[in-house]
Amino acid sequence: MHLACHECDLLQSIPPLSERGTAKCGRCGAVLVRHKPNSIERTLALAVTGLILFILANAFPILEFEINGEITATTLIGAVGSLYASGEWPLAVVVFLTTQAAPLSQILIKLYVYLPLWLNRVPWRPGVAFRLLLEIEPWSMMSVFMLGILVSVVKLAKMAHILPGTSLWAFVLLIVVLAAAVASMDTALVWQRLEASR
Ligand SMILES: [Zn+2]
């Protein structure tokens, strides 16, 4: 792997590092690569936890609508469906992208890359998958995700009540777990493993 020093711009090749290894610049001593210990196991464990939370968050009702005096509880994906059906399609799309598509694709691609790595194997087209993950990650990170939820909550609050149940808590935990899964990733280590396997 070749890397330019972020301090002095010296281009140098980084040898494969051990699990807790650190690579420093040969000229100025700046730290170029520092591996996070157990990064692959931790990221994988967080991705699995995220998937379970995602399923829980969508398996239980989170909203309560009152339509013509009748109270109906619905899951978030059910709410997306009713929003779409009632002509509120821009809101339906925002809620769908931020609370469903973004977290689920992030979790699934992470599992796709990290599960084989953990088993010392390499997934099909790993570079494409990992690059895609790095692309969607900032996009699906906290701010957008939170904003989407905030917008939906504020907008939906006029039409519905939020149920403080399993689904809501699973969503709150999911945000925390997704952020932790991003923090535990060691991009340099993954590239090193993928290159070594070629
Ligand atoms: Zn340097």
Side-chain angles (χ1 to χ4, degrees):
M1 184 176 67
H2 289 268
L3 204 68
C5 174
H6 53 86
E7 293 294 328
C8 70
D9 281 334
L10 178 68
L11 188 69
Q12 45 215 311
S13 82
I14 313 281
L17 298 174
S18 66
E19 190 73 359
R20 281 164 191 268
T22 304
K24 285 182 180 166
C25 174
R27 184 154 70 194
C28 73
V31 174
L32 300 179
V33 177
R34 173 177 284 138
H35 281 326
K36 298 173 183 173
N38 306 322
S39 155
I40 292 188
E41 290 82 352
R42 262 194 305 150
T43 309
L44 182 62
L46 287 165
V48 171
T49 312
L51 186 63
I52 294 167
L53 288 171
F54 183 85
I55 293 168
L56 281 178
N58 285 292
F60 293 92
I62 191 170
L63 293 166
E64 212 175 46
F65 284 94
E66 200 188 316
I67 304 163
N68 306 328
E70 222 174 287
I71 292 168
T72 330
T74 174
T75 58
L76 201 59
I77 194 76
V80 169
S82 350
L83 282 174
Y84 189 83
S86 65
E88 293 267 7
W89 67 266
L91 182 59
V93 169
V94 169
V95 177
F96 178 76
L97 287 178
T98 54
T99 66
Q100 308 289 315
L104 186 61
S105 56
Q106 192 181 334
I107 291 167
L108 291 182
I109 300 173
K110 214 161 249 185
L111 289 175
Y112 177 81
V113 173
Y114 277 84
L115 188 61
L117 282 182
W118 181 62
L119 297 169
N120 282 317
R121 283 158 207 268
V122 175
W124 186 69
R125 308 288 303 263
V128 177
F130 195 55
R131 222 165 279 132
L132 183 66
L133 181 62
L134 296 177
E135 286 283 327
I136 51 174
E137 211 154 48
W139 186 82
S140 66
M141 269 293 285
M142 299 287 283
S143 55
V144 181
F145 194 42
M146 295 285 279
L147 188 71
I149 291 174
L150 196 69
V151 168
S152 18
V153 166
V154 170
K155 280 271 235 164
L156 287 171
K158 289 178 199 156
M159 312 172 225
H161 293 284
I162 306 285
L163 292 172
T166 310
S167 175
L168 183 67
W169 296 117
F171 260 113
V172 171
L173 285 174
L174 180 62
I175 295 173
V176 177
V177 165
L178 284 182
V182 171
S184 72
M185 281 217 319
D186 187 333
T187 312
L189 178 67
V190 173
W191 283 129
Q192 184 187 307
R193 288 280 206 95
L194 295 180
E195 266 179 30
S197 64
R198 264 209 298 246

